[in-house]
Amino acid sequence: MGALRVWHWVSGTWRPGFVAGVRRRDAGFGTKAGRRPQPQASSKSKDPVDDQPFPGLLRTENLGVEELVDVLKAAVVDQKGPLVTLNKPQGLPVTGMGTGRPGELTLLSVLPQLSQALGLGHRELQVVRAPGKEASGLVLLSSCPQTASRLQKFFAHSRRSQRPTATYCAITDGIPEPSEGTVSVALKLERVDGIDLAVPAASPSRKDILEGVKRTLSHFHVMATGCGCALVQLQPLTVFPSQLQVHMALQLCPVLGDHTCAARVGTVLGQRFLWPATTTKPQIQVLDEALLKRLRLSPSQVAQMPLHLHLHRLLLPGTRSRDPPSELLAPVPSYFSRTLQCLRLSQK
C-alpha cells in the first residue's frame, strides 16, 4: 500500500509530509442500500442541462411544521426496525445550536411529529448521525435508545481506529494537488459577527485542547476533474463543525457554494493563496467568469448557490460482531447532478 500525502500546519504555513498505510474505500454516488453505488452524470450525456440553476433546492426556512414533516417523510430512504434513514435536504439545520436564527425549524424540533407520521406511535426518534445544516445527505435516526447507543459506540470506535464510516462527495472550485491525501489540522471555533467560525489553530498547547481546540483529520480523493473543478470523495475521521469545508479551503479548493470558507482563498496572478482565517469574514463565493458561463449562472445567482457537499454513504455495524458492515446510500440532489453535468464531471 502506498503512502498518502499529508498536510500539516507548521509555523504559520502548510507543509507536506506522508503517512503510510491509510486505507480508503472507493465509493460512487448511488441510490440503494446494499448495492455498489454507480456514478451519476457523464461527460457524454446527451440530456439537456436544466435551465433552472438549482433544481430541487428546497427553501426549508419557508416551510411550516406540517410541510417540513411531509418533506422529511418523502425523504426516507430506509426504515427497518428502530432505524430510520432519510436524505436530508440542504439548508435544514439538525439542531438550533449555532444557527443564529432563534425559532428556526430544525430536524430535532419536528422529530415528534415525524415519529407519528412514520407510524412509530409513542416511540420518538432521536438523531444518531447527521451532516451539518449546509450539507445534504444521510441522516440516521433511531427510535430505540439501546440501538442508538450501540451505533454511537460503533462510530466512536471506528474513529479511534481511523476507519471511516461516512463518505461525502463534494464539487470543488479548483483541483486538489495531490489528487489523494489527508488533511490534518487543529481547529477551534471563533465568534465573528455573531457566528461561530471554524479556524485553524497553530501549534495548540494542552491548555488549548482543553479549551476546545481539536485536532481534525480527513481523507480526500479526487474522483474526476473538469473545467477547473473536481468531484472529490471526502471521509472525515474526526467530528468538528464545518471540518470538510475548512479542509478543502486549506487545499485552496473551496467547495462550490461555500459562502463561509471560500473567502479565505485569494488569487494573485493566477496563483492561489490563503488569507488568515481569523481576519477573513464570510462572504458570497466569488467564481471566475469562465466557471459562471459553464454553470450558466449570473453573478447575482451565486448568492443562492447551495453548498455542494453531500453525505451519500454510511457504514453500519453488522447484526453480529463478525458480520461485515452494511452500507446505506443516498442519491445526490438534483442541483448537484446538474452541476456535474455542466462541468462534464464523471467518475474515472
Side-chain angles (χ1 to χ4, degrees), residues 30-72:
T31 58
K32 293 183 179 180
R35 291 179 55 189
R36 175 63 58 187
Q38 300 297 319
Q40 293 192 10
S42 169
S43 59
K44 298 181 180 180
S45 174
K46 296 181 180 179
D47 296 332
V49 175
D50 196 319
D51 288 334
Q52 184 182 351
F54 310 118
L57 182 61
L58 184 68
R59 298 297 181 186
T60 55
E61 65 270 18
N62 298 327
L63 300 179
V65 172
E66 292 184 2
E67 294 170 311
L68 180 55
V69 170
D70 288 341
V71 167
L72 295 176

mmCIF file of all heavy atoms in Angstrom, residues 30-72:
data_model
loop_
_atom_site.group_PDB
_atom_site.id
_atom_site.type_symbol
_atom_site.label_atom_id
_atom_site.label_comp_id
_atom_site.label_asym_id
_atom_site.label_seq_id
_atom_site.Cartn_x
_atom_site.Cartn_y
_atom_site.Cartn_z
ATOM 1 N N GLY A 30 -24.601 6.441 -5.376
ATOM 2 C CA GLY A 30 -25.727 5.629 -5.784
ATOM 3 C C GLY A 30 -26.995 5.890 -5.011
ATOM 4 O O GLY A 30 -27.133 6.892 -4.332
ATOM 5 N N THR A 31 -27.931 4.934 -5.105
ATOM 6 C CA THR A 31 -29.268 5.199 -4.609
ATOM 7 C C THR A 31 -29.812 4.166 -3.631
ATOM 8 O O THR A 31 -30.750 4.447 -2.919
ATOM 9 C CB THR A 31 -30.245 5.281 -5.791
ATOM 10 O OG1 THR A 31 -30.203 4.055 -6.518
ATOM 11 C CG2 THR A 31 -29.887 6.428 -6.713
ATOM 12 N N LYS A 32 -29.253 2.964 -3.575
ATOM 13 C CA LYS A 32 -29.867 1.927 -2.760
ATOM 14 C C LYS A 32 -28.874 1.347 -1.761
ATOM 15 O O LYS A 32 -27.697 1.267 -2.029
ATOM 16 C CB LYS A 32 -30.398 0.783 -3.649
ATOM 17 C CG LYS A 32 -31.576 1.205 -4.538
ATOM 18 C CD LYS A 32 -32.095 0.021 -5.315
ATOM 19 C CE LYS A 32 -33.283 0.412 -6.182
ATOM 20 N NZ LYS A 32 -33.794 -0.732 -6.951
ATOM 21 N N ALA A 33 -29.408 0.927 -0.629
ATOM 22 C CA ALA A 33 -28.552 0.271 0.354
ATOM 23 C C ALA A 33 -28.228 -1.137 -0.117
ATOM 24 O O ALA A 33 -29.024 -1.791 -0.772
ATOM 25 C CB ALA A 33 -29.267 0.220 1.710
ATOM 26 N N GLY A 34 -27.001 -1.578 0.248
ATOM 27 C CA GLY A 34 -26.623 -2.940 -0.037
ATOM 28 C C GLY A 34 -26.125 -3.185 -1.449
ATOM 29 O O GLY A 34 -25.816 -4.309 -1.808
ATOM 30 N N ARG A 35 -26.034 -2.140 -2.283
ATOM 31 C CA ARG A 35 -25.519 -2.300 -3.633
ATOM 32 C C ARG A 35 -24.348 -1.371 -3.837
ATOM 33 O O ARG A 35 -24.305 -0.281 -3.278
ATOM 34 C CB ARG A 35 -26.605 -1.971 -4.664
ATOM 35 C CG ARG A 35 -27.745 -2.964 -4.713
ATOM 36 C CD ARG A 35 -28.772 -2.545 -5.737
ATOM 37 N NE ARG A 35 -28.171 -2.346 -7.048
ATOM 38 C CZ ARG A 35 -28.820 -1.810 -8.076
ATOM 39 N NH1 ARG A 35 -30.063 -1.415 -7.931
ATOM 40 N NH2 ARG A 35 -28.203 -1.645 -9.227
ATOM 41 N N ARG A 36 -23.408 -1.788 -4.694
ATOM 42 C CA ARG A 36 -22.293 -0.911 -5.023
ATOM 43 C C ARG A 36 -22.815 0.292 -5.778
ATOM 44 O O ARG A 36 -23.494 0.155 -6.788
ATOM 45 C CB ARG A 36 -21.279 -1.669 -5.877
ATOM 46 C CG ARG A 36 -20.133 -0.815 -6.383
ATOM 47 C CD ARG A 36 -19.287 -0.270 -5.243
ATOM 48 N NE ARG A 36 -18.736 -1.330 -4.428
ATOM 49 C CZ ARG A 36 -18.081 -1.105 -3.300
ATOM 50 N NH1 ARG A 36 -17.915 0.129 -2.854
ATOM 51 N NH2 ARG A 36 -17.595 -2.102 -2.608
ATOM 52 N N PRO A 37 -22.574 1.525 -5.301
ATOM 53 C CA PRO A 37 -23.133 2.691 -5.965
ATOM 54 C C PRO A 37 -22.564 2.883 -7.366
ATOM 55 O O PRO A 37 -21.423 2.537 -7.638
ATOM 56 C CB PRO A 37 -22.728 3.848 -5.046
ATOM 57 C CG PRO A 37 -21.656 3.314 -4.178
ATOM 58 C CD PRO A 37 -21.803 1.836 -4.114
ATOM 59 N N GLN A 38 -23.396 3.468 -8.222
ATOM 60 C CA GLN A 38 -22.999 3.736 -9.593
ATOM 61 C C GLN A 38 -22.818 5.224 -9.795
ATOM 62 O O GLN A 38 -23.533 6.025 -9.202
ATOM 63 C CB GLN A 38 -24.076 3.215 -10.566
ATOM 64 C CG GLN A 38 -24.309 1.713 -10.446
ATOM 65 C CD GLN A 38 -23.065 0.936 -10.808
ATOM 66 O OE1 GLN A 38 -22.373 1.267 -11.755
ATOM 67 N NE2 GLN A 38 -22.773 -0.105 -10.038
ATOM 68 N N PRO A 39 -21.884 5.629 -10.652
ATOM 69 C CA PRO A 39 -21.663 7.058 -10.868
ATOM 70 C C PRO A 39 -22.839 7.714 -11.547
ATOM 71 O O PRO A 39 -23.513 7.112 -12.373
ATOM 72 C CB PRO A 39 -20.428 7.087 -11.772
ATOM 73 C CG PRO A 39 -20.423 5.754 -12.446
ATOM 74 C CD PRO A 39 -20.995 4.796 -11.448
ATOM 75 N N GLN A 40 -23.089 8.968 -11.185
ATOM 76 C CA GLN A 40 -24.098 9.763 -11.831
ATOM 77 C C GLN A 40 -23.419 10.793 -12.706
ATOM 78 O O GLN A 40 -22.336 11.243 -12.421
ATOM 79 C CB GLN A 40 -24.983 10.484 -10.809
ATOM 80 C CG GLN A 40 -25.835 9.524 -9.997
ATOM 81 C CD GLN A 40 -26.887 10.251 -9.217
ATOM 82 O OE1 GLN A 40 -27.108 11.441 -9.410
ATOM 83 N NE2 GLN A 40 -27.564 9.561 -8.339
ATOM 84 N N ALA A 41 -24.090 11.158 -13.756
ATOM 85 C CA ALA A 41 -23.633 12.161 -14.705
ATOM 86 C C ALA A 41 -22.497 11.620 -15.551
ATOM 87 O O ALA A 41 -21.671 10.842 -15.096
ATOM 88 C CB ALA A 41 -23.194 13.439 -14.011
ATOM 89 N N SER A 42 -22.450 12.035 -16.764
ATOM 90 C CA SER A 42 -21.422 11.588 -17.691
ATOM 91 C C SER A 42 -21.032 12.720 -18.601
ATOM 92 O O SER A 42 -21.854 13.538 -18.981
ATOM 93 C CB SER A 42 -21.946 10.411 -18.524
ATOM 94 O OG SER A 42 -21.061 10.133 -19.598
ATOM 95 N N SER A 43 -19.753 12.764 -18.952
ATOM 96 C CA SER A 43 -19.290 13.806 -19.843
ATOM 97 C C SER A 43 -19.884 13.642 -21.233
ATOM 98 O O SER A 43 -19.861 14.560 -22.039
ATOM 99 C CB SER A 43 -17.755 13.760 -19.944
ATOM 100 O OG SER A 43 -17.339 12.495 -20.426
ATOM 101 N N LYS A 44 -20.443 12.420 -21.536
ATOM 102 C CA LYS A 44 -21.034 12.193 -22.847
ATOM 103 C C LYS A 44 -22.560 12.218 -22.790
ATOM 104 O O LYS A 44 -23.230 11.805 -23.719
ATOM 105 C CB LYS A 44 -20.551 10.847 -23.386
ATOM 106 C CG LYS A 44 -19.035 10.783 -23.583
ATOM 107 C CD LYS A 44 -18.616 9.445 -24.142
ATOM 108 C CE LYS A 44 -17.107 9.381 -24.336
ATOM 109 N NZ LYS A 44 -16.685 8.063 -24.876
ATOM 110 N N SER A 45 -23.085 12.694 -21.678
ATOM 111 C CA SER A 45 -24.529 12.711 -21.523
ATOM 112 C C SER A 45 -25.169 13.590 -22.582
ATOM 113 O O SER A 45 -24.714 14.700 -22.859
ATOM 114 C CB SER A 45 -24.893 13.224 -20.116
ATOM 115 O OG SER A 45 -26.292 13.375 -20.012
ATOM 116 N N LYS A 46 -26.280 13.084 -23.173
ATOM 117 C CA LYS A 46 -26.980 13.847 -24.191
ATOM 118 C C LYS A 46 -28.175 14.588 -23.616
ATOM 119 O O LYS A 46 -28.888 15.288 -24.324
ATOM 120 C CB LYS A 46 -27.429 12.905 -25.315
ATOM 121 C CG LYS A 46 -26.251 12.254 -26.057
ATOM 122 C CD LYS A 46 -26.742 11.350 -27.171
ATOM 123 C CE LYS A 46 -25.570 10.711 -27.905
ATOM 124 N NZ LYS A 46 -26.020 9.796 -28.992
ATOM 125 N N ASP A 47 -28.459 14.376 -22.327
ATOM 126 C CA ASP A 47 -29.587 15.053 -21.715
ATOM 127 C C ASP A 47 -29.307 16.538 -21.599
ATOM 128 O O ASP A 47 -28.225 16.937 -21.177
ATOM 129 C CB ASP A 47 -29.856 14.468 -20.314
ATOM 130 C CG ASP A 47 -30.278 13.018 -20.389
ATOM 131 O OD1 ASP A 47 -30.858 12.630 -21.413
ATOM 132 O OD2 ASP A 47 -30.017 12.301 -19.410
ATOM 133 N N PRO A 48 -30.276 17.375 -21.945
ATOM 134 C CA PRO A 48 -30.047 18.820 -21.833
ATOM 135 C C PRO A 48 -29.923 19.235 -20.380
ATOM 136 O O PRO A 48 -30.568 18.676 -19.496
ATOM 137 C CB PRO A 48 -31.304 19.411 -22.482
ATOM 138 C CG PRO A 48 -32.355 18.346 -22.338
ATOM 139 C CD PRO A 48 -31.617 17.043 -22.445
ATOM 140 N N VAL A 49 -29.107 20.222 -20.131
ATOM 141 C CA VAL A 49 -28.943 20.743 -18.780
ATOM 142 C C VAL A 49 -30.187 21.532 -18.399
ATOM 143 O O VAL A 49 -30.692 22.335 -19.186
ATOM 144 C CB VAL A 49 -27.693 21.643 -18.704
ATOM 145 C CG1 VAL A 49 -27.596 22.289 -17.330
ATOM 146 C CG2 VAL A 49 -26.444 20.826 -18.991
ATOM 147 N N ASP A 50 -30.682 21.299 -17.204
ATOM 148 C CA ASP A 50 -31.854 22.027 -16.721
ATOM 149 C C ASP A 50 -31.563 23.518 -16.707
ATOM 150 O O ASP A 50 -30.528 23.957 -16.221
ATOM 151 C CB ASP A 50 -32.186 21.548 -15.301
ATOM 152 C CG ASP A 50 -33.588 21.945 -14.862
ATOM 153 O OD1 ASP A 50 -33.985 23.076 -15.157
ATOM 154 O OD2 ASP A 50 -34.251 21.120 -14.221
ATOM 155 N N ASP A 51 -32.493 24.297 -17.259
ATOM 156 C CA ASP A 51 -32.292 25.746 -17.291
ATOM 157 C C ASP A 51 -32.381 26.375 -15.903
ATOM 158 O O ASP A 51 -31.856 27.455 -15.670
ATOM 159 C CB ASP A 51 -33.330 26.404 -18.208
ATOM 160 C CG ASP A 51 -33.050 26.122 -19.680
ATOM 161 O OD1 ASP A 51 -31.869 25.870 -20.012
ATOM 162 O OD2 ASP A 51 -33.997 26.133 -20.479
ATOM 163 N N GLN A 52 -33.086 25.686 -14.988
ATOM 164 C CA GLN A 52 -33.162 26.188 -13.621
ATOM 165 C C GLN A 52 -31.798 26.003 -12.962
ATOM 166 O O GLN A 52 -31.248 24.899 -12.971
ATOM 167 C CB GLN A 52 -34.241 25.430 -12.837
ATOM 168 C CG GLN A 52 -34.455 25.966 -11.430
ATOM 169 C CD GLN A 52 -35.491 25.170 -10.677
ATOM 170 O OE1 GLN A 52 -36.164 24.321 -11.255
ATOM 171 N NE2 GLN A 52 -35.619 25.406 -9.382
ATOM 172 N N PRO A 53 -31.203 27.065 -12.387
ATOM 173 C CA PRO A 53 -29.830 26.949 -11.890
ATOM 174 C C PRO A 53 -29.663 25.954 -10.750
ATOM 175 O O PRO A 53 -28.646 25.272 -10.666
ATOM 176 C CB PRO A 53 -29.492 28.375 -11.443
ATOM 177 C CG PRO A 53 -30.811 29.035 -11.208
ATOM 178 C CD PRO A 53 -31.740 28.418 -12.199
ATOM 179 N N PHE A 54 -30.664 25.842 -9.876
ATOM 180 C CA PHE A 54 -30.542 24.940 -8.727
ATOM 181 C C PHE A 54 -31.810 24.109 -8.593
ATOM 182 O O PHE A 54 -32.588 24.290 -7.643
ATOM 183 C CB PHE A 54 -30.268 25.739 -7.451
ATOM 184 C CG PHE A 54 -29.151 26.729 -7.585
ATOM 185 C CD1 PHE A 54 -29.378 28.082 -7.427
ATOM 186 C CD2 PHE A 54 -27.862 26.312 -7.906
ATOM 187 C CE1 PHE A 54 -28.352 29.005 -7.564
ATOM 188 C CE2 PHE A 54 -26.834 27.217 -8.059
ATOM 189 C CZ PHE A 54 -27.076 28.566 -7.889
ATOM 190 N N PRO A 55 -32.045 23.177 -9.518
ATOM 191 C CA PRO A 55 -33.274 22.374 -9.466
ATOM 192 C C PRO A 55 -33.321 21.525 -8.203
ATOM 193 O O PRO A 55 -32.321 20.983 -7.754
ATOM 194 C CB PRO A 55 -33.170 21.500 -10.718
ATOM 195 C CG PRO A 55 -31.704 21.440 -11.028
ATOM 196 C CD PRO A 55 -31.160 22.774 -10.628
ATOM 197 N N GLY A 56 -34.533 21.439 -7.644
ATOM 198 C CA GLY A 56 -34.726 20.604 -6.469
ATOM 199 C C GLY A 56 -34.291 21.237 -5.165
ATOM 200 O O GLY A 56 -34.432 20.614 -4.108
ATOM 201 N N LEU A 57 -33.766 22.467 -5.205
ATOM 202 C CA LEU A 57 -33.329 23.117 -3.969
ATOM 203 C C LEU A 57 -34.543 23.497 -3.142
ATOM 204 O O LEU A 57 -35.453 24.174 -3.615
ATOM 205 C CB LEU A 57 -32.501 24.359 -4.294
ATOM 206 C CG LEU A 57 -31.933 25.121 -3.084
ATOM 207 C CD1 LEU A 57 -30.998 24.233 -2.281
ATOM 208 C CD2 LEU A 57 -31.217 26.385 -3.547
ATOM 209 N N LEU A 58 -34.547 23.067 -1.895
ATOM 210 C CA LEU A 58 -35.677 23.305 -1.008
ATOM 211 C C LEU A 58 -35.348 24.419 -0.026
ATOM 212 O O LEU A 58 -34.342 24.353 0.674
ATOM 213 C CB LEU A 58 -36.010 22.019 -0.231
ATOM 214 C CG LEU A 58 -37.231 22.056 0.669
ATOM 215 C CD1 LEU A 58 -38.500 22.161 -0.154
ATOM 216 C CD2 LEU A 58 -37.283 20.796 1.534
ATOM 217 N N ARG A 59 -36.178 25.436 0.002
ATOM 218 C CA ARG A 59 -36.010 26.522 0.969
ATOM 219 C C ARG A 59 -36.769 26.152 2.242
ATOM 220 O O ARG A 59 -37.928 26.506 2.434
ATOM 221 C CB ARG A 59 -36.528 27.849 0.388
ATOM 222 C CG ARG A 59 -35.775 28.301 -0.864
ATOM 223 C CD ARG A 59 -34.317 28.567 -0.556
ATOM 224 N NE ARG A 59 -33.571 29.013 -1.731
ATOM 225 C CZ ARG A 59 -32.263 29.198 -1.761
ATOM 226 N NH1 ARG A 59 -31.546 28.945 -0.683
ATOM 227 N NH2 ARG A 59 -31.659 29.602 -2.855
ATOM 228 N N THR A 60 -36.098 25.431 3.106
ATOM 229 C CA THR A 60 -36.759 24.897 4.294
ATOM 230 C C THR A 60 -37.211 25.985 5.256
ATOM 231 O O THR A 60 -38.134 25.775 6.044
ATOM 232 C CB THR A 60 -35.824 23.926 5.039
ATOM 233 O OG1 THR A 60 -34.592 24.600 5.340
ATOM 234 C CG2 THR A 60 -35.512 22.715 4.189
ATOM 235 N N GLU A 61 -36.567 27.161 5.183
ATOM 236 C CA GLU A 61 -36.953 28.232 6.101
ATOM 237 C C GLU A 61 -38.346 28.766 5.804
ATOM 238 O O GLU A 61 -38.946 29.468 6.623
ATOM 239 C CB GLU A 61 -35.933 29.380 6.041
ATOM 240 C CG GLU A 61 -35.851 30.108 4.707
ATOM 241 C CD GLU A 61 -34.839 29.488 3.767
ATOM 242 O OE1 GLU A 61 -34.457 28.327 3.995
ATOM 243 O OE2 GLU A 61 -34.441 30.172 2.806
ATOM 244 N N ASN A 62 -38.894 28.434 4.631
ATOM 245 C CA ASN A 62 -40.227 28.897 4.251
ATOM 246 C C ASN A 62 -41.313 27.879 4.572
ATOM 247 O O ASN A 62 -42.480 28.103 4.246
ATOM 248 C CB ASN A 62 -40.266 29.222 2.752
ATOM 249 C CG ASN A 62 -39.313 30.342 2.373
ATOM 250 O OD1 ASN A 62 -39.074 31.258 3.156
ATOM 251 N ND2 ASN A 62 -38.752 30.268 1.174
ATOM 252 N N LEU A 63 -40.947 26.770 5.185
ATOM 253 C CA LEU A 63 -41.904 25.704 5.459
ATOM 254 C C LEU A 63 -42.445 25.781 6.878
ATOM 255 O O LEU A 63 -41.743 26.172 7.803
ATOM 256 C CB LEU A 63 -41.240 24.341 5.248
ATOM 257 C CG LEU A 63 -40.684 24.036 3.853
ATOM 258 C CD1 LEU A 63 -40.054 22.648 3.845
ATOM 259 C CD2 LEU A 63 -41.762 24.139 2.804
ATOM 260 N N GLY A 64 -43.698 25.360 7.039
ATOM 261 C CA GLY A 64 -44.273 25.174 8.357
ATOM 262 C C GLY A 64 -43.967 23.774 8.858
ATOM 263 O O GLY A 64 -43.366 22.959 8.145
ATOM 264 N N VAL A 65 -44.410 23.469 10.081
ATOM 265 C CA VAL A 65 -44.103 22.177 10.690
ATOM 266 C C VAL A 65 -44.655 21.030 9.853
ATOM 267 O O VAL A 65 -43.942 20.074 9.523
ATOM 268 C CB VAL A 65 -44.654 22.099 12.127
ATOM 269 C CG1 VAL A 65 -44.496 20.682 12.687
ATOM 270 C CG2 VAL A 65 -43.949 23.097 13.030
ATOM 271 N N GLU A 66 -45.940 21.101 9.476
ATOM 272 C CA GLU A 66 -46.553 20.008 8.723
ATOM 273 C C GLU A 66 -45.885 19.832 7.368
ATOM 274 O O GLU A 66 -45.670 18.706 6.912
ATOM 275 C CB GLU A 66 -48.060 20.262 8.559
ATOM 276 C CG GLU A 66 -48.849 20.169 9.860
ATOM 277 C CD GLU A 66 -50.337 20.337 9.649
ATOM 278 O OE1 GLU A 66 -50.755 20.489 8.465
ATOM 279 O OE2 GLU A 66 -51.095 20.308 10.624
ATOM 280 N N GLU A 67 -45.570 20.938 6.710
ATOM 281 C CA GLU A 67 -44.918 20.861 5.396
ATOM 282 C C GLU A 67 -43.534 20.226 5.515
ATOM 283 O O GLU A 67 -43.140 19.398 4.676
ATOM 284 C CB GLU A 67 -44.805 22.256 4.787
ATOM 285 C CG GLU A 67 -46.141 22.890 4.437
ATOM 286 C CD GLU A 67 -45.989 24.352 4.056
ATOM 287 O OE1 GLU A 67 -45.319 25.092 4.812
ATOM 288 O OE2 GLU A 67 -46.537 24.753 3.010
ATOM 289 N N LEU A 68 -42.791 20.606 6.551
ATOM 290 C CA LEU A 68 -41.461 20.044 6.738
ATOM 291 C C LEU A 68 -41.535 18.549 7.034
ATOM 292 O O LEU A 68 -40.726 17.758 6.521
ATOM 293 C CB LEU A 68 -40.720 20.771 7.863
ATOM 294 C CG LEU A 68 -39.303 20.272 8.170
ATOM 295 C CD1 LEU A 68 -38.429 20.292 6.916
ATOM 296 C CD2 LEU A 68 -38.668 21.118 9.269
ATOM 297 N N VAL A 69 -42.511 18.138 7.844
ATOM 298 C CA VAL A 69 -42.681 16.714 8.146
ATOM 299 C C VAL A 69 -42.987 15.940 6.876
ATOM 300 O O VAL A 69 -42.465 14.845 6.650
ATOM 301 C CB VAL A 69 -43.783 16.511 9.205
ATOM 302 C CG1 VAL A 69 -44.140 15.028 9.337
ATOM 303 C CG2 VAL A 69 -43.329 17.056 10.555
ATOM 304 N N ASP A 70 -43.826 16.508 6.006
ATOM 305 C CA ASP A 70 -44.142 15.846 4.735
ATOM 306 C C ASP A 70 -42.887 15.690 3.881
ATOM 307 O O ASP A 70 -42.679 14.654 3.242
ATOM 308 C CB ASP A 70 -45.199 16.647 3.966
ATOM 309 C CG ASP A 70 -46.591 16.543 4.591
ATOM 310 O OD1 ASP A 70 -46.811 15.597 5.377
ATOM 311 O OD2 ASP A 70 -47.443 17.396 4.297
ATOM 312 N N VAL A 71 -42.043 16.739 3.863
ATOM 313 C CA VAL A 71 -40.789 16.679 3.098
ATOM 314 C C VAL A 71 -39.886 15.579 3.643
ATOM 315 O O VAL A 71 -39.310 14.787 2.886
ATOM 316 C CB VAL A 71 -40.070 18.043 3.140
ATOM 317 C CG1 VAL A 71 -38.631 17.918 2.632
ATOM 318 C CG2 VAL A 71 -40.824 19.068 2.314
ATOM 319 N N LEU A 72 -39.746 15.516 4.960
ATOM 320 C CA LEU A 72 -38.867 14.520 5.576
ATOM 321 C C LEU A 72 -39.402 13.105 5.402
ATOM 322 O O LEU A 72 -38.631 12.155 5.191
ATOM 323 C CB LEU A 72 -38.671 14.843 7.052
ATOM 324 C CG LEU A 72 -37.944 16.156 7.348
ATOM 325 C CD1 LEU A 72 -37.903 16.414 8.853
ATOM 326 C CD2 LEU A 72 -36.538 16.148 6.778
#
